[in-house]
Every structure is written in structure tokens, then in C-alpha cells.
Amino acid sequence: MNENDVRVAVTKAHQAQADWQALSYKKRATYILKAKDILLRDSDKIAALISKENGKPLMEAFAHDIMPVLDLMLYFSKNTEKLLARHKIHLGKWEFVGRRSYIDYYPYGVVGVIAPWNFPLSIPLGEVVMALMAGNTVVCKPSEYTPLVGNVMSDLFKEAGLPNDVFQVFQGDGAVGAHLVGAGCDKIVFTGSVNTGKKIMAACAKTLIPLTLELGGKDPMIVFEDADLDLASSAAVWGAFCNSGQICASVERVYVHKEVYDEFLSLIISKTKQLRQGEGVSESIDVGAMTAKMQLDKVNAQVQEAVQRGANILTGGCLNSKLSGLYFEPTILTEVDHSFTVVKDETFGPVMPVMPFDIEEQAVKLANDSEYALNAYIWGRDWVRNHRIAKKLIAGTVTINDSVFTHALPQTPWGGPKLSGMGRTHGEVGLKDLVRMRHVHENECVCKKKYFWWYPYSPEKITLFKNLSIAMYGKGLPRLKALFKYFKAMMKVRVS
Ligand code: NAD
């Protein structure tokens, strides 16, 4: 689509918005629930398409894309009205003089959703459903690497009978995404790389379009000496290699207490060697193909650089020679540190660098030593320490004794600070990222008088405010004196 096509789509979305907003939450939910039922009905076909287009195993197409978004559709259909209900603000002493305040939430208007290819269904569809339930109309640009899954979204809502132009999908590369950002949307929700996020933020700055950025990650896992090593090693292997490591929440750095370092390494090596790599649509494989050659090349470059600098490859480290296609072998690296690109930058591929640590402060320091801060994982049985460490980690989400999981929870916020982005998706916080807030303040005018802070000003009014400030916020005798002076000034103001 060219720039004009995108503008036309956004204009149509604006025209459709008022009628959509006018529908009750219940009515909006009927469309979402209908789309959910169609997704469920066609899930075999859609899972196969996800697997073919993205390369991920069929199991992950069901478990990571289809099921979480079904859950999200159900959750926001049922709960949006409650989550966006009017919020009363308690005003303390002002309530005694008839003041009331509350916050109402109302849709932005048109939300533009720009999505990546790693979760080609669950990421864009999740954002779309939340924005629609909040009363926005939506224009979505899926990744150019997964356009067919992108079309699934429009097919679902078309069959569900969604009114025209309430949701539109259009296809294209980054240039088309840039057109969308400049086409007059009221809010942009972007999930993707840091570089693109920066470009979009600069474009949004021109007209101050509000923006949510869900960007990259370099998530650390800390394994303490008392962790259940069998579980922790399985969680690390799965967390690093599922979706071929192409997950913003992948386990990308592992820090293991030196007492259990060797044992942990032998567990992850043996578990990784058992992984079966192959075509995603085959039901008996564990790791599929990577999605795009450009991503495989980035991963390979990081691994080769690490090897040249003395890293030790314990397994993998290259393309799978038994397969033709974008199959990078699940790779475990040691003898690396924070000066290595593979430890510093997002890899977004099936690579797990593992490093030992000695004391917990060192583990925290290493985990926090990153430009990213999306997730952090802790493994250990000492809950006092787990909670202590959780408080010290800079991360959008800290998960204790698991990995990757929480994007699948529609109830909990997703997103992180630093280069991982700004704003949140999912949960109440994420939903409120898709609406504007309106503060309404009411004055019941119990005293039926013009307020003394209105015109005209006078020396008596200045004395009054000076003493009122001391009377309200001062201490001891000066406070009492000020109270007396305040009443005196008040009498004069009244008389005049
Ligand atoms: P990307 O930034 O290359 O592309 C993302 C989307 O932006 C695509 O649809 C692309 O066409 C579009 N785009 C590119 N240039 C644009 C521009 N100038 N203006 C507007 N749109 C533009 O990212 P990707 O390679 O598709 O995805 C991988 C990245 O996404 C990784 O860094 C990963 O960590 C991140 N990601 C983050 C999350 C999260 O929730 N934080 C989830 C998934 C992926």
C-alpha cells in the first residue's frame, strides 16, 4: 500500500470510530467472542500457517500464539468494562466542602498497531483486541515476514461481522509502517526492535502522538546453589531455545552459582543435545527454523565473534548441517563476559551464554548490567532471598522459578524500562495505555459564596493566604498564632 492508501484507511477508521465507541462494552465483546470462536474452530489450520510462515514448531503455534490470545480475548471481553470503570479520587478535607473528583476513561480514537514476526498472531491480535474493547478503531500493520498470519486477523473479524473499517489490516514493510505513523492515528502501539522504536518515537514527536513501545530484551536468569537444578536447567533450555530464541523474553544470559556451575552445565548440555530440530509442521520436533535470514546472520555473527575472542562452544554454534534452511543449532557458550556482543546485545536467536557467579550481590550486578530490562528470572528455594533479589533487579517483570511465561497472562502488565521500551501492554495498566483519562471535578458550592481567591485581590487576602498556609502546614505555637490571624483577615475580607 502506498502512503495515500494508508491515509485513506486511517480516515475511514476515524469515520467508523464514533459508532464503535457508542456501542456498549457488552456489544463490543460479542464481536470479540465471535472472532475467538472462529479462531478456536480453525485453530488447526491457523497453527499450521503460523508454523509454515514463521518456522516455529506446531506445538508453539498452539501454546504460544493461539492459546494465549484466546485467553486474552476472553479476559478483555469479560473485564474491560470493570477495568475501565470510573475511578473516584478521595480528596480528604475538600470533600467536607462539597468537592468531588473522579476519572473517566475514554478511547483515543484510532490506534495504529505495528507488529513483529516472532509471535505473528498473539502479539498483534492481543493489542488489537484490547484497543477495540476500549472503544478504539484499529489499523494494524503486521510484519512483512508474516503477512499471511496478519491476514488471518482480518478474516476472523470479517467473519465475526465486525462493522466496516473498525479494524483494518494492511500489509507492507517498514516504509508502510512509517506511513501509518504519519497518517493521523491518535495512538501508536509498536512492538519491535529498538532501532525502529527510536525512529517511530522521533516521527511521533512531530505531532506528539502518544506511543507505547514494546522493544527488545536481554533477559538474565540467576540460578542459586539451592535451586532445583533439574527444573532450572530445563527452564533455561526451553527459555533460551523455544521459538529458536526469537522471543523478547528469551533467556539470553545465565548466571549460575559457582558451587553448582559444573553440574548445571552438564545438565543443560545433555538436555540441549536431545533437542530435535526440523520443520515446524512436523509434530515430533522441538526446535524449528529461524524466521528470516537477516536474523540468522545476526545470530551467527555474534557467535562467530565470541568464538574468535575465546568463547567456548559446548554445543551447537553453527547452522545444522543435516537440514537445509534457516536452522541454527541450539548453542551454549561459556568463557564469555560482559565485553562480548553476545552477552551485551540482544541476540534473538538460539544462543545461551552461561557465566558463573560467587555471591548474590555479584549476580544482581551482572543481571542489572544491561541496556535492556524486560524480564529477569531467579531460580532458588530460599524465598527470603528470592524476594530480596527480586527487589534489586531492574526489570519490567521478575519471574521466580520459571522462565518466559508471563506474556501469556492477560491479567499482568508486560513491558520494561531502559531500551526495552515505555508504556505497558496487557493487564489493567496495558488497557489504560489505550485510553485517555478525563478528570472531572465537581463543586457542590455548599457555601454559596464567591470564593475569596477570586478577584479582586487585596492586601487582606495576601495576609489571609500567608497565615492559612502556616495554620494548615506549620507546627506548634506559630501555627496557633497564624490561625488567629487567618480568622482576623477572613473577617476583613468578608466585610469588604
Ligand atoms: P522491527 O523493528 O524490524 O520491525 C517491527 C515492525 O516495524 C515491522 O512490522 C516493520 O515492518 C515495522 N517497521 C520497520 N521500520 C519501520 C518504520 N520506520 N516505521 C514504522 N514501522 C516500521 O522488529 P522485528 O525484527 O520485526 O522484531 C524483532 C524485535 O522485536 C526484537 O528486538 C524483539 O525483542 C522485539 N519484540 C519485543 C516484544 C516485546 O513485547 N517487548 C515482543 C516481540 C518482539
Side-chain angles (χ1 to χ4, degrees):
M1 291 178 84
N2 64 30
E3 191 170 0
N4 191 49
D5 296 332
V6 178
R7 277 200 182 275
V8 170
V10 173
T11 305
K12 283 185 187 168
H14 276 295
Q15 287 159 355
Q17 198 270 329
D19 286 348
W20 178 247
Q21 180 178 352
L23 297 182
S24 64
Y25 285 104
K26 212 168 164 192
K27 182 70 189 163
R28 282 182 227 148
T30 58
Y31 293 108
I32 306 295
L33 292 172
K34 186 85 200 295
K36 172 194 77 74
D37 291 343
I38 299 164
L39 172 56
L40 195 55
R41 183 197 69 198
D42 293 350
S43 58
D44 280 328
K45 203 171 68 187
I46 295 169
L49 179 65
I50 294 172
S51 192
K52 280 184 193 159
E53 198 171 40
N54 164 287
K56 66 177 69 180
L58 212 46
M59 156 76 194
E60 291 175 11
F62 278 110
H64 299 185
D65 269 282
I66 293 179
M67 199 167 147
V69 86
L70 287 169
D71 198 31
L72 182 146
M73 291 166 105
L74 196 60
Y75 177 74
F76 284 102
S77 297
K78 282 190 176 166
N79 293 294
T80 300
E81 183 166 14
K82 193 170 66 196
L83 295 170
L84 295 183
R86 177 172 291 182
H87 170 70
K88 185 176 177 340
I89 301 173
H90 294 286
L91 297 177
K93 53 188 170 295
W94 295 105
E95 290 183 2
F96 295 109
V97 289
R99 300 285 178 150
R100 311 273 177 261
S101 270
Y102 59 86
I103 291 175
D104 273 343
Y105 300 98
Y106 63 106
Y108 270 106
V110 178
V111 174
V113 172
I114 302 175
W117 40 264
N118 63 331
F119 292 99
L121 186 73
S122 62
I123 287 182
L125 188 52
E127 305 299 346
V128 167
V129 165
M130 290 168 62
L132 289 176
M133 274 310 299
N136 302 285
T137 51
V138 181
V139 184
C140 174
K141 194 203 84 63
S143 170
E144 58 272 39
Y145 292 101
T146 49
L148 298 180
V149 180
N151 280 347
V152 166
M153 295 188 289
S154 46
D155 294 345
L156 290 177
F157 284 112
K158 202 168 173 192
E159 191 179 338
L162 195 75
N164 283 345
D165 305 325
V166 166
F167 172 54
Q168 300 169 77
V169 172
F170 59 84
Q171 305 285 359
D173 60 9
V176 180
H179 295 328
L180 177 60
V181 176
C185 293
D186 301 293
K187 162 97 192 185
I188 297 290
V189 177
F190 171 73
T191 310
S193 65
V194 173
N195 279 345
T196 309
K198 286 179 181 172
K199 286 185 204 159
I200 292 180
M201 192 165 173
C204 285
K206 287 184 192 149
T207 45
L208 288 186
I209 301 173
L211 173 66
T212 300
L213 292 176
E214 299 293 343
L215 308 178
K218 188 74 193 171
D219 296 350
M221 175 185 280
I222 302 173
V223 183
F224 285 106
E225 66 281 10
D226 62 347
D228 180 326
L229 289 190
D230 182 33
L231 283 183
S233 56
S234 292
V237 168
W238 180 72
F241 303 136
C242 64
N243 204 6
S244 284
Q246 302 166 117
I247 303 185
C248 51
S250 283
V251 174
E252 290 223 357
R253 301 175 282 150
V254 184
Y255 305 101
V256 187
H257 192 275
K258 64 175 188 184
E259 267 180 33
V260 292
Y261 182 70
D262 289 340
E263 190 183 347
F264 185 84
L265 278 185
S266 69
L267 282 167
I268 55 172
I269 293 166
S270 98
K271 288 176 185 185
T272 302
K273 283 186 171 162
Q274 287 166 33
L275 296 175
R276 299 154 302 170
Q277 197 165 27
E279 247 189 275
V281 283
S282 156
E283 286 181 6
S284 43
I285 58 115
D286 303 304
V287 180
M290 293 188 68
T291 306
K293 171 131 187 348
M294 59 83 194
Q295 191 56 39
L296 185 140
D297 290 344
K298 277 188 209 164
V299 172
N300 199 20
Q302 284 191 7
V303 171
Q304 296 319 316
E305 186 205 291
V307 171
Q308 274 162 22
R309 291 195 53 203
N312 197 7
I313 293 188
L314 301 182
T315 182
C318 55
L319 280 162
N320 189 326
S321 56
K322 296 189 196 111
L323 298 165
S324 71
L326 306 176
Y327 296 95
F328 199 85
E329 285 190 359
T331 298
I332 298 175
L333 292 172
T334 55
E335 308 307 321
V336 289
D337 60 38
H338 282 218
S339 67
F340 284 65
T341 309
V342 78
V343 179
K344 272 193 314 197
D345 290 0
E346 185 180 49
T347 303
F348 218 57
V351 180
M352 184 186 350
V354 190
M355 291 155 276
F357 72 88
D358 201 350
I359 51 171
E360 72 179 52
E361 286 76 13
Q362 188 194 5
V364 171
K365 201 168 164 204
L366 288 166
N368 284 340
D369 179 26
S370 172
E371 290 185 308
Y372 296 91
L374 193 56
N375 293 265
Y377 308 111
I378 303 170
W379 276 85
R381 286 194 175 100
D382 176 347
W383 282 95
V384 175
R385 180 179 54 200
N386 289 345
H387 291 145
R388 184 170 65 234
I389 301 289
K391 269 193 197 172
K392 292 180 184 171
L393 291 173
I394 303 166
T397 298
V398 175
T399 299
I400 301 171
N401 291 340
D402 201 355
S403 63
V404 179
F405 178 69
T406 70
H407 191 269
L409 294 173
Q411 298 87 347
T412 57
W414 181 263
K418 299 193 194 175
L419 288 188
S420 292
M422 55 180 63
R424 292 290 185 274
T425 182
H426 295 183
E428 181 175 344
V429 186
L431 189 66
K432 286 183 176 162
D433 244 17
L434 294 165
V435 286
R436 293 193 166 109
M437 68 162 78
R438 180 193 296 114
H439 168 216
V440 178
H441 183 73
E442 299 173 352
N443 177 16
E444 287 175 5
C445 282
V446 281
C447 59
K448 306 272 182 234
K449 289 244 187 288
K450 288 180 193 158
Y451 288 108
F452 52 86
W453 52 83
W454 293 355
Y455 294 134
Y457 297 156
S458 67
E460 288 77 20
K461 285 190 177 179
I462 295 173
T463 309
L464 183 153
F465 266 99
K466 205 167 119 186
N467 286 291
L468 182 60
S469 306
I470 301 170
M472 286 180 79
Y473 311 111
K475 285 187 195 141
L477 193 59
R479 197 176 173 194
L480 278 177
K481 282 185 181 167
L483 200 59
F484 176 72
K485 285 183 192 165
Y486 160 74
F487 281 120
K488 227 169 111 182
M490 181 59 114
M491 294 306 287
K492 281 191 192 162
V493 169
R494 286 238 162 119
V495 170
S496 63

